[in-house]
């Protein structure tokens, strides 16, 4: 998943098997143990009481900032807010 990131450190209070059900029986490093979105949504669910953050950018990077181009705005703040 090229445009995603995951921080195991932020999830250190959860056992590996909570998200990776086959972790205990896996023998090969080539085993793909990435959980599906349903696993993540057990904790990261909008509107759920006591839920962890569930905003898209918590896990997904949508922009490759290395290719960012400089912006030269030609409007003032007043012009922008008066267009509402």
């Amino acid at each position: 998943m090229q445009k995603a990131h995951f921080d195991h450190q932020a999830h250190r209070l959860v056992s590996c098997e909570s998200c990776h059900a086959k972790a205990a029986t896996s023998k090969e490093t080539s085993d793909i143990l990435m959980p599906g979105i349903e696993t993540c949504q057990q904790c990261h669910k909008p509107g759920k009481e006591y839920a962890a953050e569930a905003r898209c950018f918590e896990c997904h990077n949508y922009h490759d900032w290395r290719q960012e181009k400089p912006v030269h705005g030609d409007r003032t703040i007043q012009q922008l807010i008066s267009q509402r």
Side-chain angles (χ1 to χ4, degrees), residues 23-60:
T25 59
S26 174
K27 303 281 186 227
E28 302 293 325
T29 58
S30 60
D31 291 344
I32 298 176
L33 302 176
M34 187 164 51
I37 188 73
E38 301 82 16
T39 299
C40 302
Q41 288 174 336
Q42 289 178 38
C43 298
H44 298 273
K45 191 166 195 155
K48 182 179 175 183
E49 189 174 12
Y50 305 113
E53 286 289 349
R55 296 172 291 177
C56 300
F57 65 84
E58 298 292 333
C59 301
H60 300 277

